[in-house]
Amino acid sequence: MPAMDLEEDKDVLQHLLHLEAEASALVDGAQAEADRRVSEGEKQSRAKYDEAYAAEVARLEAAYTKEIAAVREDYKKQLEAYRDSLKSVPADKAAFSALAGQLLLKDL
């Protein structure tokens, strides 16, 4: 083989190695960019999730608070109605005293 052919082969191999190194660098850069984009996407998705979760929790807490207030108000109304109904019933003190005497003094 002439020296010129060896030199050309050497140049071609070096050129191919150089191209391989560039391709490897491009692949590494693309992988780093893909990783960065995935990480950024995860951060954005997490932020959206946290925001939606917080809004739903606030909505449910507000509904719960409103429902508790309505139940308490209903309880107060029912209790007041019961008290009013008790006030309207006449007390039969004589019958109560007779019953209490029978129950408490029956063994004496």
Short mmCIF file of all heavy atoms in Angstrom, two decimals, residues 34-107:
data_model
loop_
_atom_site.label_atom_id
_atom_site.label_comp_id
_atom_site.label_asym_id
_atom_site.label_seq_id
_atom_site.Cartn_x
_atom_site.Cartn_y
_atom_site.Cartn_z
N ALA A 34 -33.97 17.16 27.09
CA ALA A 34 -35.19 16.38 27.33
C ALA A 34 -35.43 16.22 28.82
O ALA A 34 -36.56 16.37 29.30
CB ALA A 34 -35.09 15.02 26.65
N ASP A 35 -34.37 15.93 29.57
CA ASP A 35 -34.50 15.80 31.03
C ASP A 35 -34.97 17.11 31.66
O ASP A 35 -35.81 17.12 32.56
CB ASP A 35 -33.17 15.37 31.65
CG ASP A 35 -32.78 13.95 31.30
OD1 ASP A 35 -33.65 13.19 30.82
OD2 ASP A 35 -31.59 13.59 31.49
N ARG A 36 -34.40 18.22 31.18
CA ARG A 36 -34.81 19.54 31.70
C ARG A 36 -36.28 19.81 31.42
O ARG A 36 -37.01 20.26 32.29
CB ARG A 36 -33.93 20.64 31.08
CG ARG A 36 -34.21 22.03 31.67
CD ARG A 36 -33.56 23.13 30.85
NE ARG A 36 -34.13 23.29 29.53
CZ ARG A 36 -35.33 23.85 29.27
NH1 ARG A 36 -36.09 24.27 30.25
NH2 ARG A 36 -35.76 23.96 28.02
N ARG A 37 -36.71 19.49 30.19
CA ARG A 37 -38.11 19.74 29.83
C ARG A 37 -39.06 18.85 30.63
O ARG A 37 -40.12 19.30 31.06
CB ARG A 37 -38.32 19.50 28.33
CG ARG A 37 -37.70 20.58 27.47
CD ARG A 37 -37.95 20.34 26.01
NE ARG A 37 -37.28 21.33 25.19
CZ ARG A 37 -37.43 21.42 23.88
NH1 ARG A 37 -38.20 20.56 23.24
NH2 ARG A 37 -36.79 22.36 23.21
N VAL A 38 -38.67 17.60 30.83
CA VAL A 38 -39.51 16.70 31.64
C VAL A 38 -39.60 17.21 33.08
O VAL A 38 -40.68 17.25 33.67
CB VAL A 38 -38.95 15.25 31.61
CG1 VAL A 38 -39.59 14.39 32.68
CG2 VAL A 38 -39.17 14.64 30.23
N SER A 39 -38.47 17.62 33.62
CA SER A 39 -38.45 18.15 34.98
C SER A 39 -39.32 19.40 35.09
O SER A 39 -40.10 19.56 36.05
CB SER A 39 -37.01 18.48 35.39
OG SER A 39 -36.97 19.04 36.66
N GLU A 40 -39.20 20.29 34.12
CA GLU A 40 -40.01 21.52 34.13
C GLU A 40 -41.50 21.19 33.99
O GLU A 40 -42.34 21.79 34.67
CB GLU A 40 -39.57 22.45 32.99
CG GLU A 40 -40.28 23.79 32.97
CD GLU A 40 -40.02 24.63 34.20
OE1 GLU A 40 -38.95 24.52 34.81
OE2 GLU A 40 -40.93 25.40 34.57
N GLY A 41 -41.81 20.22 33.14
CA GLY A 41 -43.20 19.79 32.98
C GLY A 41 -43.76 19.21 34.27
O GLY A 41 -44.91 19.47 34.64
N GLU A 42 -42.93 18.43 34.97
CA GLU A 42 -43.37 17.88 36.25
C GLU A 42 -43.62 18.98 37.27
O GLU A 42 -44.60 18.93 38.02
CB GLU A 42 -42.32 16.90 36.78
CG GLU A 42 -42.26 15.59 36.03
CD GLU A 42 -41.12 14.68 36.49
OE1 GLU A 42 -40.26 15.13 37.28
OE2 GLU A 42 -41.10 13.53 36.04
N LYS A 43 -42.74 19.98 37.29
CA LYS A 43 -42.92 21.11 38.22
C LYS A 43 -44.22 21.85 37.92
O LYS A 43 -44.98 22.20 38.83
CB LYS A 43 -41.74 22.08 38.13
CG LYS A 43 -40.48 21.60 38.78
CD LYS A 43 -39.38 22.64 38.62
CE LYS A 43 -38.05 22.11 39.09
NZ LYS A 43 -36.96 23.08 38.86
N GLN A 44 -44.48 22.12 36.64
CA GLN A 44 -45.69 22.84 36.25
C GLN A 44 -46.93 22.02 36.58
O GLN A 44 -47.93 22.56 37.08
CB GLN A 44 -45.65 23.19 34.77
CG GLN A 44 -44.65 24.27 34.43
CD GLN A 44 -44.56 24.54 32.93
OE1 GLN A 44 -45.22 23.89 32.13
NE2 GLN A 44 -43.74 25.50 32.56
N SER A 45 -46.87 20.72 36.30
CA SER A 45 -48.01 19.85 36.60
C SER A 45 -48.26 19.80 38.10
O SER A 45 -49.41 19.83 38.55
CB SER A 45 -47.77 18.44 36.07
OG SER A 45 -47.73 18.44 34.66
N ARG A 46 -47.21 19.73 38.89
CA ARG A 46 -47.35 19.69 40.35
C ARG A 46 -47.95 21.00 40.85
O ARG A 46 -48.80 21.01 41.74
CB ARG A 46 -45.98 19.43 40.99
CG ARG A 46 -46.03 19.29 42.48
CD ARG A 46 -47.02 18.24 42.84
NE ARG A 46 -46.67 17.61 44.08
CZ ARG A 46 -47.46 16.80 44.69
NH1 ARG A 46 -48.64 16.51 44.19
NH2 ARG A 46 -47.12 16.24 45.81
N ALA A 47 -47.49 22.11 40.29
CA ALA A 47 -48.03 23.41 40.71
C ALA A 47 -49.51 23.51 40.37
O ALA A 47 -50.32 23.98 41.19
CB ALA A 47 -47.25 24.54 40.04
N LYS A 48 -49.91 23.05 39.18
CA LYS A 48 -51.33 23.07 38.80
C LYS A 48 -52.14 22.16 39.72
O LYS A 48 -53.24 22.51 40.14
CB LYS A 48 -51.50 22.63 37.35
CG LYS A 48 -51.06 23.66 36.34
CD LYS A 48 -51.25 23.15 34.92
CE LYS A 48 -50.72 24.14 33.90
NZ LYS A 48 -50.85 23.62 32.53
N TYR A 49 -51.60 20.99 40.02
CA TYR A 49 -52.29 20.05 40.91
C TYR A 49 -52.48 20.68 42.29
O TYR A 49 -53.56 20.63 42.87
CB TYR A 49 -51.51 18.74 41.02
CG TYR A 49 -52.04 17.83 42.09
CD1 TYR A 49 -53.15 17.02 41.86
CD2 TYR A 49 -51.45 17.78 43.35
CE1 TYR A 49 -53.65 16.20 42.85
CE2 TYR A 49 -51.94 16.97 44.34
CZ TYR A 49 -53.04 16.17 44.09
OH TYR A 49 -53.53 15.36 45.08
N ASP A 50 -51.40 21.25 42.83
CA ASP A 50 -51.47 21.86 44.16
C ASP A 50 -52.49 23.00 44.18
O ASP A 50 -53.25 23.15 45.15
CB ASP A 50 -50.10 22.39 44.59
CG ASP A 50 -49.12 21.27 44.94
OD1 ASP A 50 -49.58 20.11 45.12
OD2 ASP A 50 -47.91 21.54 45.00
N GLU A 51 -52.52 23.78 43.12
CA GLU A 51 -53.48 24.89 43.03
C GLU A 51 -54.92 24.36 42.98
O GLU A 51 -55.79 24.85 43.71
CB GLU A 51 -53.18 25.72 41.79
CG GLU A 51 -54.05 26.94 41.63
CD GLU A 51 -53.69 27.73 40.37
OE1 GLU A 51 -52.50 27.79 40.03
OE2 GLU A 51 -54.62 28.28 39.75
N ALA A 52 -55.15 23.35 42.15
CA ALA A 52 -56.49 22.77 42.04
C ALA A 52 -56.89 22.10 43.36
O ALA A 52 -58.04 22.22 43.80
CB ALA A 52 -56.54 21.77 40.89
N TYR A 53 -55.96 21.43 44.00
CA TYR A 53 -56.23 20.75 45.27
C TYR A 53 -56.60 21.78 46.34
O TYR A 53 -57.58 21.60 47.08
CB TYR A 53 -55.00 19.94 45.69
CG TYR A 53 -55.20 19.16 46.96
CD1 TYR A 53 -55.82 17.93 46.95
CD2 TYR A 53 -54.74 19.66 48.18
CE1 TYR A 53 -56.00 17.20 48.11
CE2 TYR A 53 -54.92 18.95 49.34
CZ TYR A 53 -55.54 17.72 49.31
OH TYR A 53 -55.72 17.02 50.47
N ALA A 54 -55.82 22.85 46.42
CA ALA A 54 -56.09 23.89 47.41
C ALA A 54 -57.45 24.54 47.17
O ALA A 54 -58.20 24.81 48.12
CB ALA A 54 -54.98 24.94 47.39
N ALA A 55 -57.79 24.77 45.91
CA ALA A 55 -59.09 25.37 45.59
C ALA A 55 -60.22 24.43 45.97
O ALA A 55 -61.24 24.87 46.52
CB ALA A 55 -59.16 25.70 44.09
N GLU A 56 -60.06 23.14 45.71
CA GLU A 56 -61.11 22.17 46.06
C GLU A 56 -61.25 22.05 47.57
O GLU A 56 -62.36 21.98 48.10
CB GLU A 56 -60.79 20.80 45.44
CG GLU A 56 -61.85 19.76 45.67
CD GLU A 56 -63.18 20.05 44.98
OE1 GLU A 56 -63.25 20.97 44.14
OE2 GLU A 56 -64.16 19.37 45.29
N VAL A 57 -60.14 22.05 48.28
CA VAL A 57 -60.19 21.99 49.75
C VAL A 57 -60.90 23.23 50.30
O VAL A 57 -61.76 23.13 51.18
CB VAL A 57 -58.77 21.86 50.34
CG1 VAL A 57 -58.76 22.15 51.83
CG2 VAL A 57 -58.22 20.47 50.08
N ALA A 58 -60.58 24.39 49.76
CA ALA A 58 -61.23 25.62 50.21
C ALA A 58 -62.73 25.58 49.93
O ALA A 58 -63.55 25.97 50.77
CB ALA A 58 -60.59 26.83 49.53
N ARG A 59 -63.10 25.07 48.75
CA ARG A 59 -64.52 24.98 48.41
C ARG A 59 -65.24 24.02 49.35
O ARG A 59 -66.32 24.32 49.86
CB ARG A 59 -64.67 24.49 46.96
CG ARG A 59 -66.12 24.47 46.48
CD ARG A 59 -66.25 23.79 45.12
NE ARG A 59 -65.99 22.37 45.18
CZ ARG A 59 -66.87 21.46 45.65
NH1 ARG A 59 -68.04 21.83 46.12
NH2 ARG A 59 -66.56 20.17 45.65
N LEU A 60 -64.64 22.88 49.62
CA LEU A 60 -65.27 21.89 50.51
C LEU A 60 -65.35 22.41 51.95
O LEU A 60 -66.35 22.18 52.63
CB LEU A 60 -64.49 20.57 50.46
CG LEU A 60 -64.61 19.78 49.16
CD1 LEU A 60 -63.67 18.59 49.17
CD2 LEU A 60 -66.04 19.34 48.92
N GLU A 61 -64.31 23.11 52.39
CA GLU A 61 -64.34 23.67 53.75
C GLU A 61 -65.43 24.74 53.87
O GLU A 61 -66.13 24.81 54.88
CB GLU A 61 -62.98 24.25 54.13
CG GLU A 61 -61.97 23.19 54.49
CD GLU A 61 -60.62 23.77 54.89
OE1 GLU A 61 -60.42 25.01 54.80
OE2 GLU A 61 -59.76 22.97 55.29
N ALA A 62 -65.59 25.55 52.85
CA ALA A 62 -66.63 26.58 52.86
C ALA A 62 -68.02 25.93 52.88
O ALA A 62 -68.90 26.36 53.64
CB ALA A 62 -66.49 27.50 51.66
N ALA A 63 -68.20 24.88 52.09
CA ALA A 63 -69.48 24.17 52.07
C ALA A 63 -69.75 23.52 53.42
O ALA A 63 -70.87 23.55 53.93
CB ALA A 63 -69.50 23.12 50.96
N TYR A 64 -68.71 22.95 54.02
CA TYR A 64 -68.84 22.32 55.34
C TYR A 64 -69.22 23.35 56.40
O TYR A 64 -70.13 23.13 57.20
CB TYR A 64 -67.52 21.63 55.70
CG TYR A 64 -67.48 21.10 57.11
CD1 TYR A 64 -68.14 19.93 57.44
CD2 TYR A 64 -66.77 21.77 58.11
CE1 TYR A 64 -68.11 19.44 58.73
CE2 TYR A 64 -66.73 21.29 59.40
CZ TYR A 64 -67.40 20.12 59.71
OH TYR A 64 -67.38 19.65 61.00
N THR A 65 -68.52 24.48 56.39
CA THR A 65 -68.82 25.54 57.35
C THR A 65 -70.24 26.04 57.19
O THR A 65 -70.96 26.25 58.18
CB THR A 65 -67.82 26.70 57.18
OG1 THR A 65 -66.49 26.19 57.36
CG2 THR A 65 -68.07 27.81 58.17
N LYS A 66 -70.68 26.22 55.94
CA LYS A 66 -72.04 26.68 55.67
C LYS A 66 -73.06 25.64 56.16
O LYS A 66 -74.07 26.00 56.77
CB LYS A 66 -72.20 26.92 54.17
CG LYS A 66 -73.53 27.49 53.78
CD LYS A 66 -73.57 27.74 52.27
CE LYS A 66 -74.93 28.26 51.85
NZ LYS A 66 -74.99 28.47 50.40
N GLU A 67 -72.77 24.38 55.90
CA GLU A 67 -73.69 23.30 56.32
C GLU A 67 -73.76 23.21 57.84
O GLU A 67 -74.84 23.04 58.41
CB GLU A 67 -73.24 21.96 55.73
CG GLU A 67 -74.20 20.83 55.96
CD GLU A 67 -75.52 20.99 55.24
OE1 GLU A 67 -75.57 21.68 54.22
OE2 GLU A 67 -76.53 20.42 55.72
N ILE A 68 -72.63 23.33 58.52
CA ILE A 68 -72.60 23.31 59.98
C ILE A 68 -73.42 24.47 60.54
O ILE A 68 -74.19 24.31 61.49
CB ILE A 68 -71.16 23.35 60.51
CG1 ILE A 68 -70.46 22.03 60.22
CG2 ILE A 68 -71.10 23.65 62.00
CD1 ILE A 68 -71.03 20.83 60.93
N ALA A 69 -73.27 25.65 59.96
CA ALA A 69 -74.03 26.82 60.42
C ALA A 69 -75.53 26.58 60.22
O ALA A 69 -76.34 26.92 61.10
CB ALA A 69 -73.58 28.07 59.67
N ALA A 70 -75.92 25.98 59.10
CA ALA A 70 -77.34 25.70 58.84
C ALA A 70 -77.88 24.68 59.83
O ALA A 70 -79.00 24.82 60.34
CB ALA A 70 -77.52 25.20 57.41
N VAL A 71 -77.09 23.65 60.13
CA VAL A 71 -77.52 22.63 61.10
C VAL A 71 -77.66 23.24 62.48
O VAL A 71 -78.63 22.95 63.20
CB VAL A 71 -76.52 21.44 61.10
CG1 VAL A 71 -76.77 20.53 62.29
CG2 VAL A 71 -76.63 20.66 59.81
N ARG A 72 -76.72 24.09 62.87
CA ARG A 72 -76.80 24.74 64.19
C ARG A 72 -78.03 25.65 64.27
O ARG A 72 -78.70 25.68 65.31
CB ARG A 72 -75.53 25.54 64.46
CG ARG A 72 -74.37 24.65 64.80
CD ARG A 72 -73.14 25.44 65.17
NE ARG A 72 -72.07 24.51 65.55
CZ ARG A 72 -70.80 24.79 65.51
NH1 ARG A 72 -70.40 25.98 65.12
NH2 ARG A 72 -69.90 23.90 65.85
N GLU A 73 -78.28 26.36 63.21
CA GLU A 73 -79.46 27.24 63.19
C GLU A 73 -80.74 26.42 63.29
O GLU A 73 -81.66 26.78 64.04
CB GLU A 73 -79.46 28.09 61.91
CG GLU A 73 -80.56 29.13 61.87
CD GLU A 73 -80.45 30.16 62.99
OE1 GLU A 73 -79.34 30.48 63.43
OE2 GLU A 73 -81.51 30.64 63.42
N ASP A 74 -80.80 25.32 62.56
CA ASP A 74 -81.96 24.43 62.63
C ASP A 74 -82.12 23.85 64.03
O ASP A 74 -83.23 23.76 64.56
CB ASP A 74 -81.83 23.31 61.59
CG ASP A 74 -83.07 22.44 61.52
OD1 ASP A 74 -84.18 23.01 61.44
OD2 ASP A 74 -82.92 21.20 61.57
N TYR A 75 -81.01 23.48 64.65
CA TYR A 75 -81.04 22.94 66.01
C TYR A 75 -81.59 23.99 66.98
O TYR A 75 -82.43 23.69 67.83
CB TYR A 75 -79.63 22.51 66.43
CG TYR A 75 -79.51 22.14 67.88
CD1 TYR A 75 -80.03 20.93 68.35
CD2 TYR A 75 -78.91 23.00 68.80
CE1 TYR A 75 -79.92 20.59 69.68
CE2 TYR A 75 -78.81 22.67 70.13
CZ TYR A 75 -79.31 21.46 70.58
OH TYR A 75 -79.23 21.13 71.91
N LYS A 76 -81.12 25.24 66.84
CA LYS A 76 -81.61 26.31 67.72
C LYS A 76 -83.12 26.51 67.55
O LYS A 76 -83.85 26.67 68.53
CB LYS A 76 -80.89 27.63 67.42
CG LYS A 76 -79.49 27.70 67.94
CD LYS A 76 -78.88 29.05 67.58
CE LYS A 76 -77.43 29.14 68.00
NZ LYS A 76 -76.84 30.44 67.62
N LYS A 77 -83.58 26.49 66.30
CA LYS A 77 -85.02 26.67 66.04
C LYS A 77 -85.83 25.52 66.64
O LYS A 77 -86.88 25.75 67.25
CB LYS A 77 -85.29 26.77 64.54
CG LYS A 77 -84.83 28.06 63.93
CD LYS A 77 -85.08 28.09 62.43
CE LYS A 77 -84.56 29.37 61.80
NZ LYS A 77 -84.74 29.37 60.35
N GLN A 78 -85.34 24.29 66.46
CA GLN A 78 -86.05 23.14 67.02
C GLN A 78 -86.07 23.19 68.54
O GLN A 78 -87.09 22.89 69.17
CB GLN A 78 -85.42 21.83 66.56
CG GLN A 78 -85.67 21.51 65.11
CD GLN A 78 -85.01 20.19 64.71
OE1 GLN A 78 -84.62 19.39 65.55
NE2 GLN A 78 -84.92 19.96 63.41
N LEU A 79 -84.96 23.57 69.14
CA LEU A 79 -84.88 23.67 70.60
C LEU A 79 -85.81 24.77 71.12
O LEU A 79 -86.53 24.56 72.12
CB LEU A 79 -83.44 23.95 71.03
CG LEU A 79 -83.15 23.93 72.52
CD1 LEU A 79 -83.50 22.58 73.13
CD2 LEU A 79 -81.69 24.25 72.78
N GLU A 80 -85.85 25.88 70.43
CA GLU A 80 -86.74 26.97 70.84
C GLU A 80 -88.21 26.56 70.70
O GLU A 80 -89.04 26.86 71.56
CB GLU A 80 -86.45 28.23 70.01
CG GLU A 80 -87.11 29.48 70.53
CD GLU A 80 -86.68 29.85 71.94
OE1 GLU A 80 -85.50 29.68 72.30
OE2 GLU A 80 -87.55 30.30 72.71
N ALA A 81 -88.51 25.86 69.60
CA ALA A 81 -89.89 25.38 69.41
C ALA A 81 -90.27 24.39 70.50
O ALA A 81 -91.40 24.41 71.01
CB ALA A 81 -90.03 24.73 68.03
N TYR A 82 -89.34 23.53 70.88
CA TYR A 82 -89.60 22.56 71.96
C TYR A 82 -89.82 23.29 73.28
O TYR A 82 -90.75 22.96 74.04
CB TYR A 82 -88.44 21.57 72.06
CG TYR A 82 -88.62 20.55 73.16
CD1 TYR A 82 -89.59 19.57 73.07
CD2 TYR A 82 -87.81 20.57 74.28
CE1 TYR A 82 -89.76 18.63 74.06
CE2 TYR A 82 -87.96 19.64 75.29
CZ TYR A 82 -88.93 18.66 75.18
OH TYR A 82 -89.09 17.74 76.18
N ARG A 83 -88.99 24.30 73.57
CA ARG A 83 -89.17 25.07 74.80
C ARG A 83 -90.53 25.79 74.81
O ARG A 83 -91.21 25.82 75.84
CB ARG A 83 -88.05 26.10 74.93
CG ARG A 83 -86.74 25.51 75.33
CD ARG A 83 -85.65 26.56 75.45
NE ARG A 83 -84.40 25.94 75.81
CZ ARG A 83 -83.22 26.45 75.52
NH1 ARG A 83 -83.13 27.59 74.84
NH2 ARG A 83 -82.11 25.83 75.88
N ASP A 84 -90.88 26.34 73.66
CA ASP A 84 -92.19 27.01 73.57
C ASP A 84 -93.34 26.02 73.79
O ASP A 84 -94.32 26.34 74.44
CB ASP A 84 -92.36 27.71 72.22
CG ASP A 84 -91.46 28.93 72.09
OD1 ASP A 84 -90.94 29.42 73.12
OD2 ASP A 84 -91.24 29.38 70.94
N SER A 85 -93.19 24.81 73.23
CA SER A 85 -94.25 23.81 73.42
C SER A 85 -94.34 23.38 74.88
O SER A 85 -95.43 23.10 75.38
CB SER A 85 -94.02 22.60 72.51
OG SER A 85 -92.92 21.82 72.95
N LEU A 86 -93.20 23.33 75.58
CA LEU A 86 -93.23 22.98 77.00
C LEU A 86 -93.90 24.08 77.83
O LEU A 86 -94.60 23.80 78.80
CB LEU A 86 -91.82 22.72 77.52
CG LEU A 86 -91.15 21.43 77.06
CD1 LEU A 86 -89.74 21.35 77.64
CD2 LEU A 86 -91.95 20.22 77.46
N LYS A 87 -93.67 25.33 77.44
CA LYS A 87 -94.28 26.45 78.16
C LYS A 87 -95.80 26.46 78.02
O LYS A 87 -96.51 26.88 78.92
CB LYS A 87 -93.71 27.78 77.66
CG LYS A 87 -92.29 28.02 78.07
CD LYS A 87 -91.77 29.33 77.48
CE LYS A 87 -90.30 29.53 77.79
NZ LYS A 87 -89.77 30.75 77.17
N SER A 88 -96.27 25.96 76.88
CA SER A 88 -97.71 26.00 76.65
C SER A 88 -98.44 24.83 77.32
O SER A 88 -99.65 24.85 77.42
CB SER A 88 -97.99 25.99 75.14
OG SER A 88 -97.59 24.76 74.57
N VAL A 89 -97.71 23.83 77.79
CA VAL A 89 -98.34 22.69 78.48
C VAL A 89 -98.50 23.08 79.95
O VAL A 89 -97.53 23.41 80.62
CB VAL A 89 -97.47 21.42 78.34
CG1 VAL A 89 -98.04 20.30 79.18
CG2 VAL A 89 -97.33 21.01 76.89
N PRO A 90 -99.73 23.01 80.48
CA PRO A 90 -99.93 23.37 81.89
C PRO A 90 -99.33 22.29 82.81
O PRO A 90 -99.37 21.11 82.51
CB PRO A 90 -101.45 23.43 82.05
CG PRO A 90 -101.98 22.59 80.94
CD PRO A 90 -100.98 22.64 79.84
N ALA A 91 -98.73 22.73 83.90
CA ALA A 91 -98.14 21.81 84.87
C ALA A 91 -99.24 21.36 85.84
O ALA A 91 -99.94 22.17 86.43
CB ALA A 91 -97.02 22.49 85.62
N ASP A 92 -99.37 20.06 85.99
CA ASP A 92 -100.36 19.49 86.94
C ASP A 92 -99.60 19.08 88.18
O ASP A 92 -99.16 17.93 88.33
CB ASP A 92 -101.06 18.31 86.28
CG ASP A 92 -102.24 17.81 87.10
OD1 ASP A 92 -102.43 18.31 88.23
OD2 ASP A 92 -102.95 16.92 86.60
N LYS A 93 -99.41 20.05 89.07
CA LYS A 93 -98.60 19.82 90.26
C LYS A 93 -99.21 18.78 91.18
O LYS A 93 -98.49 18.00 91.80
CB LYS A 93 -98.38 21.14 91.00
CG LYS A 93 -97.53 22.11 90.21
CD LYS A 93 -97.33 23.41 90.97
CE LYS A 93 -96.53 24.38 90.11
NZ LYS A 93 -96.35 25.66 90.76
N ALA A 94 -100.49 18.72 91.26
CA ALA A 94 -101.14 17.76 92.15
C ALA A 94 -100.91 16.34 91.65
O ALA A 94 -100.58 15.44 92.43
CB ALA A 94 -102.63 18.06 92.23
N ALA A 95 -101.03 16.12 90.35
CA ALA A 95 -100.82 14.78 89.80
C ALA A 95 -99.35 14.39 89.94
O ALA A 95 -99.05 13.23 90.24
CB ALA A 95 -101.24 14.74 88.33
N PHE A 96 -98.43 15.34 89.73
CA PHE A 96 -97.02 15.05 89.87
C PHE A 96 -96.69 14.66 91.31
O PHE A 96 -95.97 13.70 91.56
CB PHE A 96 -96.17 16.25 89.44
CG PHE A 96 -94.69 16.03 89.63
CD1 PHE A 96 -93.99 15.25 88.73
CD2 PHE A 96 -94.02 16.57 90.72
CE1 PHE A 96 -92.63 15.02 88.90
CE2 PHE A 96 -92.67 16.35 90.90
CZ PHE A 96 -91.96 15.58 89.99
N SER A 97 -97.22 15.42 92.26
CA SER A 97 -96.96 15.13 93.66
C SER A 97 -97.52 13.77 94.05
O SER A 97 -96.88 13.01 94.79
CB SER A 97 -97.57 16.20 94.56
OG SER A 97 -96.94 17.43 94.33
N ALA A 98 -98.68 13.42 93.56
CA ALA A 98 -99.29 12.12 93.88
C ALA A 98 -98.45 10.99 93.29
O ALA A 98 -98.19 9.98 93.97
CB ALA A 98 -100.71 12.06 93.33
N LEU A 99 -98.00 11.14 92.05
CA LEU A 99 -97.18 10.10 91.42
C LEU A 99 -95.85 9.98 92.14
O LEU A 99 -95.37 8.87 92.40
CB LEU A 99 -96.96 10.42 89.94
CG LEU A 99 -96.08 9.44 89.17
CD1 LEU A 99 -96.71 8.05 89.17
CD2 LEU A 99 -95.86 9.91 87.76
N ALA A 100 -95.19 11.11 92.46
CA ALA A 100 -93.93 11.07 93.17
C ALA A 100 -94.09 10.41 94.53
O ALA A 100 -93.26 9.60 94.94
CB ALA A 100 -93.37 12.49 93.33
N GLY A 101 -95.17 10.68 95.19
CA GLY A 101 -95.45 10.05 96.51
C GLY A 101 -95.61 8.57 96.37
O GLY A 101 -95.09 7.80 97.19
N GLN A 102 -96.30 8.12 95.32
CA GLN A 102 -96.49 6.68 95.12
C GLN A 102 -95.18 5.98 94.83
O GLN A 102 -94.91 4.90 95.35
CB GLN A 102 -97.45 6.41 93.94
CG GLN A 102 -98.90 6.69 94.23
CD GLN A 102 -99.75 6.47 92.99
OE1 GLN A 102 -99.23 6.34 91.89
NE2 GLN A 102 -101.05 6.45 93.18
N LEU A 103 -94.39 6.57 93.99
CA LEU A 103 -93.14 5.92 93.58
C LEU A 103 -92.07 5.98 94.68
O LEU A 103 -91.33 5.01 94.88
CB LEU A 103 -92.58 6.57 92.30
CG LEU A 103 -93.43 6.42 91.05
CD1 LEU A 103 -92.83 7.21 89.90
CD2 LEU A 103 -93.53 4.93 90.67
N LEU A 104 -91.98 7.06 95.37
CA LEU A 104 -90.92 7.23 96.37
C LEU A 104 -91.30 6.68 97.72
O LEU A 104 -90.43 6.26 98.50
CB LEU A 104 -90.54 8.70 96.49
CG LEU A 104 -89.96 9.34 95.21
CD1 LEU A 104 -89.75 10.83 95.43
CD2 LEU A 104 -88.64 8.67 94.82
N LEU A 105 -92.56 6.68 98.05
CA LEU A 105 -92.98 6.31 99.39
C LEU A 105 -93.72 4.98 99.45
O LEU A 105 -94.27 4.63 100.48
CB LEU A 105 -93.84 7.42 99.98
CG LEU A 105 -93.20 8.80 100.03
CD1 LEU A 105 -94.22 9.83 100.51
CD2 LEU A 105 -91.99 8.80 100.92
N LYS A 106 -93.74 4.21 98.37
CA LYS A 106 -94.56 3.00 98.35
C LYS A 106 -94.03 1.92 99.27
O LYS A 106 -94.78 1.11 99.77
CB LYS A 106 -94.72 2.48 96.94
CG LYS A 106 -93.52 1.81 96.33
CD LYS A 106 -93.88 1.29 94.95
CE LYS A 106 -92.70 0.57 94.35
NZ LYS A 106 -92.96 0.04 93.05
N ASP A 107 -92.70 1.87 99.55
CA ASP A 107 -92.16 0.84 100.42
C ASP A 107 -92.18 1.24 101.88
O ASP A 107 -91.86 0.45 102.76
CB ASP A 107 -90.74 0.49 100.00
CG ASP A 107 -90.70 -0.25 98.67
OD1 ASP A 107 -91.71 -0.91 98.33
OD2 ASP A 107 -89.67 -0.17 97.99
#
